[in-house]
Amino acid sequence: MARLLDKIIWQVSNKKHSTYFERFLKAKKRYKLTDYYTRRAEIFARAFESYIHYKMQKRNAKNIFLAESKYDLDLYMSAKEIQKIEGDFDALIG
């Protein structure tokens, strides 16, 4: 799980924040969210929600409680970002 979180937060090649995490931090600042949202458990929760949403879309399933447009999508990973770590999530829960 720690390695997966590192992949979510950091770019592997140069240890800069990932594109997702940079976008997340900007949204956090824009909405004046507390540091609670940057706890590793919370980052993982949003990434896992995005992963489940992505997997459901692949199966043409829908759940309106997961990462729908009512939430600021900058706080969630995009399908393209999830694709990069899909195998890691699959291995974690498989």
Side-chain angles (χ1 to χ4, degrees):
M1 188 180 281
R3 284 188 300 263
L4 178 55
L5 273 164
D6 283 344
K7 286 183 176 184
I8 292 166
I9 296 170
W10 302 101
Q11 293 180 18
V12 176
S13 59
N14 56 15
K15 281 296 184 185
K16 291 184 179 181
H17 284 139
S18 67
T19 304
Y20 160 69
F21 197 69
E22 285 291 330
R23 187 177 70 247
F24 177 90
L25 291 174
K26 288 177 186 174
K28 178 185 172 278
K29 186 176 181 178
R30 182 172 59 243
Y31 294 111
K32 299 179 174 123
L33 301 175
T34 66
D35 287 340
Y36 167 84
Y37 290 90
T38 53
R39 292 179 182 173
R40 291 175 68 85
E42 289 303 311
I43 296 295
F44 182 84
R46 280 171 184 69
F48 185 69
E49 184 176 349
S50 299
Y51 165 78
I52 295 297
H53 182 74
Y54 173 77
K55 292 296 244 187
M56 289 180 70
Q57 280 185 323
K58 284 177 69 172
R59 295 180 181 195
N60 293 319
K62 185 173 180 163
N63 182 328
I64 62 169
F65 297 108
L66 293 173
E68 287 292 324
S69 60
K70 64 183 172 183
Y71 302 116
D72 184 328
L73 295 180
D74 286 343
L75 297 173
Y76 293 88
M77 299 183 82
S78 69
K80 187 175 181 180
E81 291 163 336
I82 287 295
Q83 287 172 349
K84 293 178 184 178
I85 59 171
E86 180 181 7
D88 298 290
F89 263 121
D90 290 345
L92 179 66
I93 60 177

